[in-house]
Amino acid sequence: MITHIVGNRPQFIKLAPLYHELERGGYEQNIIHSGQHYDENMSDVFFEELGIPAPSVNLSAGGGSHAQMTAKTMVGLEKELVKRKPDLVILYGDTNTTLAGAVTAAKLCIPIAHVEAGPRVHDKSNPEECNRIVTDHLSDVLFSPDAISFQNLEREGLGKKACITGDIMYDTYLSIAAKSVENRDAGQEEIVVMTWHRQENTADRGRMESILDLIEKLESRVVCPLHPRTRKCLKQFGLLERAETIPNLEIIEPVGYTEMVRLMNSARLILTDSGGVSKESSYAGAKCLFMLELDVWEDLVRDNWIHKFDPENTASAEEALVFAKKAQRVAQADRPSYYGNGHAAAKMVQELENRSFI
Ligand code: UD1
Ligand code: UDP
């Protein structure tokens, strides 16, 4: 039995192709949902759209502090893993659900495969960095989305457990984009698509105001499916009304993946602090203004596809505006391609078989 442990929106998107690939191979699997994301449009919608079966159990561990959420997930997981005795657990990305899965499975001596292993921002004040480091070091097989992530693992002495599979989100992106005929419609209005949710950009009122200032200055239609965390923080800081009345900003509820792909494929620019969305920008052909000064996807930063900036630094924000105003949609042939060929799931199953994990 193979057990997938997931709990967040990007993990459902990463899970879909691997689940289906293992299913084609006839492997027995089940899904444990931590409950970290729990709104219908942050969770259920992805299971439905991507054809993922319902989880065997939901641990309802969402909300609360990092420690509360991680601990609650661990307690629930331990019980489930002892009962179900899987031969392998598969973990995804770098969230508190991933961390809880790694620590719990490792202590029960259950082998762990980690999907999206090796990205590093070299800054432990970033909560996801802590989760990535612990998970990679406790895992038995590591699937890297790109060469830089693999090199990071080699530097940390984990090279023998690791391989480059390409980005599994690209598998999902391609399968959804292929189904969405309307994406290819000519003459669509080009928009700026925005996502905004990271702790660094939601914990401080001044920083949230600086981000709103930047949106106003963009003078383009900005469509923002707003993460519930950001809505709550804007409200708490008394900024929600201002955000809702910025004329060029259209705040909408979080969207399912099909709609997200349609939006990204209509964008001339993506404004985000999301690790996943900043990488997907290269699939969708829209350059990315990244609202954190972190070492995200270094190849894309070097190519000036991703422009990193600090919203609170006036000079950095001005440079960002220049980048944003110039950004135009990029033709397929001119898009960077550092993240594989869209067959990451097949490569992962092959590696698991070759290494006798399944
Ligand atoms: C988490 C991950 C982050 C990932 C993101 C993907 C950690 C440390 N963070 O951040 O790495 O990029 O998921 O989206 O694991 N909330 C709701 N409804 C929901 C989910 C969240 O209202 O369905 C609200 C709750 O108030 C919750 C807050 O958002 O406390 C933050 O949620 P949480 O899962 O802690 O962090 P994310 O910002 O989603
Ligand atoms: N996404 C989505 N709907 C939305 C916002 C994002 O489907 O309203 C997708 C997005 O395209 C990407 C994934 O969710 O595939 C990224 O999730 P998020 O930004 O929450 O997490 P991160 O990548 O930062 O961990």
Side-chain angles (χ1 to χ4, degrees), residues 287-324:
K287 289 198 177 179
C288 174
L289 198 48
F290 187 67
M291 306 191 286
L292 285 170
E293 275 286 37
L294 291 177
D295 288 339
V296 69
W297 312 116
E298 290 168 48
D299 284 316
L300 295 179
V301 172
R302 196 198 47 242
D303 286 0
N304 205 28
W305 184 276
I306 293 180
H307 180 91
K308 297 187 290 184
F309 82 107
D310 172 0
E312 284 177 290
N313 175 312
T314 313
S316 172
E318 276 167 13
E319 269 179 42
L321 268 181
V322 174
F323 177 88

Side-chain angles (χ1 to χ4, degrees), residues 8 36-39 69 95-96 128 197 227-229 232:
N8 306 63
Q36 183 170 350
H37 285 176
Y38 46 86
D39 291 345
M69 183 192 299
T95 74
N96 289 342
E128 289 80 12
H197 74 277
H227 191 294
R229 170 191 204 137
K232 282 176 191 166

Side-chain angles (χ1 to χ4, degrees), residues 9 31 34 36 56 69 76 149 151 194 205 217 227 236 260 293 313 335 337 349:
R9 170 167 72 187
I31 298 167
S34 69
Q36 183 170 350
S56 316
M69 183 192 299
S149 302
Q151 285 153 16
M194 176 179 192
R205 187 180 198 278
K217 289 186 195 142
H227 191 294
Q236 180 194 325
M260 188 63 192
E293 275 286 37
N313 175 312
R335 296 176 196 169
S337 57
V349 173

Side-chain angles (χ1 to χ4, degrees), residues 7-11 35-43 61-66 69-70 93-99 126-128 131-132 196-199 202 227-230 232-233 273-276:
N8 306 63
R9 170 167 72 187
Q11 295 174 337
Q36 183 170 350
H37 285 176
Y38 46 86
D39 291 345
E40 199 276 335
N41 59 13
M42 296 291 289
S43 178
S65 69
H66 284 271
M69 183 192 299
T70 310
D94 54 17
T95 74
N96 289 342
T97 296
T98 323
L99 172 69
N126 171 243
E128 289 80 12
N131 297 343
R132 280 189 285 267
W196 173 10
H197 74 277
R198 297 287 278 266
Q199 176 171 294
T202 52
H227 191 294
R229 170 191 204 137
T230 316
K232 282 176 191 166
C233 294
D273 54 12
S274 158

Side-chain angles (χ1 to χ4, degrees), residues 56-118:
S56 316
V57 59
N58 187 315
L59 304 174
S60 304
S65 69
H66 284 271
Q68 285 167 335
M69 183 192 299
T70 310
K72 201 168 172 193
T73 306
M74 286 177 67
V75 172
L77 265 180
E78 187 178 55
K79 209 167 109 214
E80 290 299 322
L81 294 179
V82 166
K83 186 168 85 189
R84 295 169 195 274
K85 297 187 177 48
D87 304 300
L88 176 74
V89 306
I90 306 187
L91 306 175
Y92 298 82
D94 54 17
T95 74
N96 289 342
T97 296
T98 323
L99 172 69
V103 176
T104 311
K107 292 199 173 180
L108 293 171
C109 301
I110 302 168
I112 303 169
H114 185 204
V115 174
E116 205 179 81

